[in-house]
Amino acid sequence: MDEIKEYRPNRVFRAALALLCVVLVSVGMMSGLLARYTAGGTGSDEARVASFDVTADLQNFETKFPVQLQPGGSVTCSFDITNSSETAVNMQAVLETEGNLPLKIEYQKGNTDAGSLALLAENIQDVEEGSCKFSDAMAAGNKEKQTYQIRISWPEDRNGYQYANGVEAVKLSVTASQID
C-alpha cells in the first residue's frame, strides 16, 4: 500500500514567507510617508560687474622734482587719489630712494597750508630712513578724494664728506586694489 504523504512546508520556508509579507505591508505603509516630505524648487541669480575707477593726480609731486637738497633742507609735496568706484578700495603708496643720501621720508594724510609747517611736523608719521610705505582704505559709492603730503628731508647732522656730489632718485608707486 501506498501511503499518501501530506506536503508540509518546512520552517525556513515559512519564516521567509512571513518576512516577505511583513516587508510588503511595511512598503505599502511607508509609501504615503515619503511623498509628504519631498520638495522641489528652482532659483536664479544675476550680477553685474561693478565699476572700478581710481585716479591719481601727481602733478604737484612731479613739478617739485628734481630738487637739490642740502643737509638740514627739506621739500614737501602732495598728491591726490580719487576713488569714483562702486567698490571700496585700498590705496597703497610706496616712496623709495636708492639709499645714496641719508634722506628721511615722512607723510601725512590731509592738506596743510604752505605756511603751517609746525602743524605738518606735529601730524607727520615717521618711517624708516630711505623708504615710506602706507595704505589707506577709501569708501565706495561716492567720489572720494584724499590728499597726501610727503616731506623728504636731509638731517642736518648727516653731513659727512661721503655724501659730496651724491645723487639720489626718489620713486613713488601708487597701487589701488578692490577690497572684497
Side-chain angles (χ1 to χ4, degrees):
M1 266 190 74
D2 276 328
E3 224 179 275
I4 299 178
K5 281 190 172 180
E6 204 175 303
Y7 175 71
R8 289 187 181 181
N10 63 11
R11 289 184 197 175
V12 176
F13 182 70
R14 283 185 186 172
L17 190 59
L19 186 60
L20 179 65
C21 290
V22 169
V23 168
L24 289 175
V25 170
S26 298
V27 168
M29 289 173 54
M30 294 295 286
S31 64
L33 287 177
L34 291 177
R36 279 191 245 170
Y37 298 108
T38 60
T42 60
S44 65
D45 193 13
E46 288 185 20
R48 69 175 187 82
V49 177
S51 71
F52 186 81
D53 183 17
V54 178
T55 56
D57 180 10
L58 305 174
Q59 186 175 9
N60 187 356
F61 191 82
E62 291 170 352
T63 58
K64 293 273 186 164
F65 294 94
V67 68
Q68 293 181 354
L69 279 180
Q70 300 172 13
S74 68
V75 62
T76 302
C77 55
S78 64
F79 65 95
D80 299 323
I81 305 292
T82 305
N83 180 20
S84 303
S85 301
E86 293 176 341
T87 62
V89 172
N90 185 39
M91 182 281 305
Q92 182 176 16
V94 178
L95 190 72
E96 296 176 301
T97 66
E98 292 179 348
N100 297 329
L101 297 176
L103 298 180
K104 181 179 179 183
I105 300 173
E106 304 164 307
Y107 82 95
Q108 83 167 14
K109 180 178 176 180
N111 205 358
T112 58
D113 297 333
S116 59
L117 289 178
L119 176 65
L120 182 67
E122 289 174 13
N123 294 334
I124 224 144
Q125 298 179 4
D126 294 343
V127 290
E128 66 184 73
E129 186 176 70
S131 71
C132 176
K133 182 179 190 179
F134 59 96
S135 62
D136 191 19
M138 302 176 82
N142 57 351
K143 192 171 186 175
E144 183 181 358
K145 179 179 179 180
Q146 294 292 339
T147 300
Y148 300 92
Q149 297 244 340
I150 295 177
R151 180 168 60 192
I152 301 170
S153 57
W154 187 340
E156 192 168 346
D157 60 341
R158 307 283 304 269
N159 56 7
Y161 68 90
Q162 67 269 27
Y163 304 122
N165 297 322
V167 177
E168 187 65 83
V170 178
K171 176 183 167 187
L172 174 65
S173 303
V174 179
T175 307
S177 57
Q178 177 180 338
I179 299 174
D180 292 327

